[in-house]
Amino acid sequence: MAVKKDQTLAEAVDLAREAAESIAEPGAVGDHLGMTMDDERLATHSFACTTPAYRGWRWAVVVTRVARSRKVTICETNLLPGPDALLAPEWVPYVQRLQPGDVGPGDVLPYTEDDENLEPGFEATGEEDVDQMAQWELGLGRARVLSAEGRDTAAQRWYDGDHGPHAEVAEKSREMCLTCGYYLPLAGALRVMFGVCANAWSPSDGKVVSRDHGCGAHSESDVRQSDRASVAAPVVDDLAVDVLG
């Protein structure tokens, strides 16, 4: 149901402007944009905000009066965004803002109770090798270990990354990590596909590499020298005659 316009409140433009100017910087209150009725004897006057940093914002001054009185009272004054106002990005919780690689010295990640990449170390997965490894890890005092989903996610990330088979250095290498003496296979279920590089000369030193990764620092690599081009012995043509003019 529409509220009937209150003429007394509508005429209180100057009073509303004074209220807006009392909290704004000098010259920041612009043209009167109109008035809207919020309820019976309760209305909001709007004024343009001329501050460049608040383009599209407006000063909102709420006014009211008691019944059978023509005295207008200021309720509150605010700076509110309009339809085309420049607003700050939507708030994203801290735990969701962090990305891999953001954690630095002294930073601590918030505890995630329902992490889909982890599971209790004593929970059976149905895979004999995995269950044995989980029980062994729990014996070291670790309450949670990688779940099957967490393991698959990590494997896919490593395989698609800079130390997988599709990296430029791997595509230009003649040999794979699997046949390199510096390749140290991982333990557990990831052993069949990944290991750690222990070659100080390799760009992957200390990194998890896929077995089909590779680089020029392979332990069995060698520079293949091209065969020298054979040159025939010089031939003296005894039948040739030089004609001197």
Side-chain angles (χ1 to χ4, degrees):
M1 180 177 178
V3 180
K4 182 180 179 181
K5 181 178 179 180
D6 190 306
Q7 190 61 32
T8 301
L9 298 181
E11 294 175 353
V13 176
D14 293 340
L15 179 64
R17 178 181 292 276
E18 291 177 3
E21 291 176 343
S22 68
I23 66 169
E25 297 179 352
V29 180
D31 297 336
H32 183 245
L33 302 178
M35 185 199 76
T36 56
M37 293 298 301
D38 302 317
D39 204 339
E40 185 178 1
R41 296 186 299 277
L42 183 68
T44 300
H45 283 279
S46 298
F47 300 89
C49 179
T50 58
T51 304
Y54 287 88
R55 178 182 58 81
W57 289 64
R58 59 186 177 86
W59 298 102
V61 182
V62 181
V63 295
T64 188
R65 68 181 182 88
V66 298
R68 294 185 297 276
S69 174
R70 296 185 61 83
K71 182 179 180 180
V72 177
T73 301
I74 302 295
C75 294
E76 60 182 10
T77 305
N78 300 300
L79 181 61
L80 301 177
D84 59 342
L86 181 63
L87 301 176
E90 184 178 354
W91 169 255
V92 178
Y94 172 72
V95 68
Q96 298 178 19
R97 291 202 308 271
L98 289 177
Q99 299 296 322
D102 288 347
V103 178
D107 294 338
V108 178
L109 284 177
Y111 176 78
T112 304
E113 183 175 359
D114 298 325
D115 191 336
E116 61 184 11
N117 294 317
L118 297 174
E119 63 185 9
F122 54 82
E123 182 174 331
T125 65
E127 301 180 30
E128 183 177 354
D129 293 341
V130 176
D131 288 346
Q132 290 178 354
M133 182 175 64
Q135 293 171 4
W136 175 74
E137 289 180 340
L138 184 61
L140 295 178
R142 299 171 63 186
R144 297 189 293 179
V145 296
L146 272 178
S147 64
E149 182 174 354
R151 205 166 47 248
D152 293 343
T153 300
Q156 192 65 53
R157 184 175 64 252
W158 294 344
Y159 198 78
D160 295 338
D162 294 337
H163 305 286
H166 305 301
E168 183 179 4
V169 66
E171 292 180 344
K172 293 184 178 180
S173 174
R174 294 192 299 267
E175 304 291 345
M176 295 189 300
C177 292
L178 178 63
T179 58
C180 181
Y182 291 102
Y183 178 76
L184 303 176
L186 294 181
L190 295 177
R191 177 187 180 90
V192 297
M193 199 62 208
F194 297 99
V196 176
C197 176
N199 189 348
W201 293 99
S202 171
S204 299
D205 180 38
K207 305 294 193 304
V208 174
V209 295
S210 66
R211 59 187 295 173
D212 48 358
H213 183 65
C215 71
H218 192 281
S219 63
E220 312 306 320
S221 65
D222 194 8
V223 177
R224 300 179 180 178
Q225 298 180 352
S226 59
D227 297 334
R228 292 178 178 273
S230 59
V231 179
V235 177
V236 179
D237 187 359
D238 294 332
L239 300 177
V241 177
D242 292 332
V243 179
L244 300 176

